């Protein structure tokens, strides 16, 4: 996949552990795809996350579903799985091994790396093969037990201005703070609960698209 920063606009991240069960997971993902997400990251992590053959089975179904809607698929921290299901890319956290080795193993996959401060950015600034960075957490988040301290909109803006790569905001982003996040000049936002816990996914995505349109010149 040739990376286009435009796909970062409405980035949905989810795994089966983020919802009640696998059936709900596929229902939520289907609604999100129908309603206008531009990128999906399959992320099985934390208590209740699938592993082994179950994770592979779900990932293969996710690949089929995202292809139906022509939405690129990113796999979280599992290069082997990404290659196996022919995903478009892979995303790594700062604690997911050595960045240079991860990039090499990723091969022709799109590569995203999480960054939460200037020190972490400096750690990867010299590397080739990165396509975009995920910046955050912008706000406190409950989706990760090991989440870094929230950097706020000011911290986000600083890293967006520093970055030589396209950037997507992550962490605690909801409909009531989305406009402030996008006003920093970031290329998009990545969310979990804003969609996975939404009472009306179509309405949430319609609002998101409206905010994105207002951001454009």
């Amino acid at each position: 996949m040739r990376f286009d920063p435009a796909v970062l606009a409405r980035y949905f991240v989810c795994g089966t552990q983020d919802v009640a069960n696998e059936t709900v997971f596929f229902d939520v993902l289907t609604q999100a795809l129908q309603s206008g997400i531009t990128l999906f990251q399959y992320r099985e992590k934390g208590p209740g996350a699938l592993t082994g053959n179950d994770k592979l089975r779900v990932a293969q179904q996710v690949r089929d579903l995202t292809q139906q809607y022509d939405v690129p698929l990113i796999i979280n921290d599992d290069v082997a799985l990404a290659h196996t299901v022919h995903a478009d890319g892979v995303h790594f956290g700062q604690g997911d091994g050595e960045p240079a080795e991860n990039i090499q193993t990723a091969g022709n996959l799109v590569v995203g790396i999480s960054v939460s401060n200037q020190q972490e950015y400096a750690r990867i600034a010299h590397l080739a093969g990165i396509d975009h960075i995920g910046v955050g957490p912008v706000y406190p988040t409950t989706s990760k037990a090991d989440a870094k301290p929230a950097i706020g909109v000011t911290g986000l803006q600083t890293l967006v201005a520093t970055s030589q790569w396209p950037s997507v905001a992550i962490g605690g982003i909801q409909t009531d703070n989305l406009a402030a996040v996008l006003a920093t000049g970031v290329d998009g936002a990545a969310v979990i609960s804003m969609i996975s816990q939404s009472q009306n996914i179509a309405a949430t995505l319609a609002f998101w698209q409206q905010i994105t349109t207002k951001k454009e010149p």
Side-chain angles (χ1 to χ4, degrees):
M1 168 186 169
R2 186 181 180 89
F3 182 70
D4 179 357
V7 301
L8 298 174
R10 294 179 297 279
Y11 190 165
F12 180 34
V13 181
C14 197
T16 59
Q17 75 283 336
D18 296 310
V19 291
N21 54 51
E22 194 176 308
T23 301
V24 173
F25 169 77
F26 280 110
D27 182 47
V28 166
L29 176 55
T30 300
Q31 290 185 59
L33 290 165
Q34 290 172 339
S35 301
I37 61 168
T38 53
L39 188 62
F40 179 66
Q41 181 188 133
Y42 178 51
R43 176 184 175 272
E44 288 286 343
K45 222 161 202 177
L50 298 180
T51 59
N53 288 334
D54 286 331
K55 183 180 178 183
L56 173 60
R57 172 180 53 79
V58 170
Q60 287 172 327
Q61 290 178 252
V62 168
R63 171 73 288 187
D64 291 343
L65 195 54
T66 54
Q67 282 184 322
Q68 285 179 37
Y69 290 91
D70 197 27
V71 170
L73 170 64
I74 304 293
I75 301 290
N76 180 271
D77 184 29
D78 195 332
V79 178
L81 180 63
H83 284 304
T84 299
V85 301
H86 305 291
D88 299 288
V90 65
H91 187 89
F92 301 105
Q94 287 278 330
D96 296 331
E98 200 57 43
E101 293 176 14
N102 287 336
I103 292 167
Q104 186 174 15
T105 309
N108 63 350
L109 295 171
V110 166
V111 172
I113 295 184
S114 297
V115 173
S116 64
N117 54 49
Q118 292 286 355
Q119 291 76 21
E120 289 184 352
Y121 181 82
R123 183 184 177 213
I124 63 170
H126 65 286
L127 297 175
I130 296 171
D131 295 287
H132 64 277
I133 60 171
V135 183
V138 182
Y139 302 103
T141 175
T142 57
S143 66
K144 290 179 68 176
D146 59 346
K148 306 280 178 64
I151 62 173
V153 171
T154 302
L156 171 63
Q157 195 160 23
T158 299
L159 281 163
V160 168
T162 301
S163 179
Q164 61 190 291
W165 301 290
S167 51
V168 60
I170 57 175
I173 298 168
Q174 299 291 340
T175 53
D176 61 351
N177 57 36
L178 183 60
V181 167
L182 296 180
T184 63
V186 73
D187 292 278
V191 306
I192 298 179
S193 63
M194 188 176 115
I195 291 178
S196 68
Q197 304 301 319
S198 173
Q199 297 301 305
N200 188 330
I201 291 173
T204 298
L205 264 299
F207 172 79
W208 196 349
Q209 290 188 57
Q210 182 183 22
I211 294 290
T212 304
T213 302
K214 286 180 180 178
K215 172 180 173 281
E216 293 170 357

